[in-house]
Amino acid sequence: MTFWNPFGNRYTPKGPPGLQSEYVTEHGRFTMPLAEAVMWFGSFSIETAKPPRPPIETPKAALGERDDRSRSKRRSENFIRICRASL
């Protein structure tokens, strides 16, 4: 996984690259295995220019409204919603 430190530092470890000696850093960029990144960092924030997905609609039954569509049609629509939400 490649990371970027916006301060643009440079670092050369005194020992072998890893969690103990840290990693070679050039212009604030360094690469480390994903498994070690998960152990080292407590959380990640991912920034993107894409707008957020719209929220999944609340089923009418949860709102107390009656849904006259057939049961199989409702199931297939719910399945499609779940698939879209997991993208």
Side-chain angles (χ1 to χ4, degrees), residues 10-38:
R10 176 181 290 173
Y11 178 77
T12 304
K14 293 185 168 106
L19 288 177
Q20 289 183 350
S21 304
E22 298 187 13
Y23 292 90
V24 175
T25 305
E26 281 293 322
H27 305 290
R29 288 181 173 80
F30 63 98
T31 303
M32 66 188 319
L34 178 60
E36 290 184 12
V38 171

Side-chain angles (χ1 to χ4, degrees), residues 1-86:
M1 207 166 188
T2 300
F3 294 94
W4 173 60
N5 178 348
F7 295 109
N9 62 327
R10 176 181 290 173
Y11 178 77
T12 304
K14 293 185 168 106
L19 288 177
Q20 289 183 350
S21 304
E22 298 187 13
Y23 292 90
V24 175
T25 305
E26 281 293 322
H27 305 290
R29 288 181 173 80
F30 63 98
T31 303
M32 66 188 319
L34 178 60
E36 290 184 12
V38 171
M39 290 188 306
W40 193 18
F41 293 100
S43 65
F44 291 95
S45 294
I46 300 172
E47 296 178 11
T48 179
K50 289 182 180 180
R53 287 186 291 209
I56 298 173
E57 294 178 24
T58 305
K60 289 184 178 184
L63 300 173
E65 298 176 22
R66 185 165 177 217
D67 195 347
D68 292 329
R69 292 171 295 165
S70 71
R71 186 175 188 176
S72 62
K73 175 119 176 132
R74 287 193 311 267
R75 282 185 178 171
S76 63
E77 288 173 354
N78 286 337
F79 177 75
I80 292 168
R81 264 193 218 107
I82 290 167
C83 291
R84 285 184 183 154
S86 66

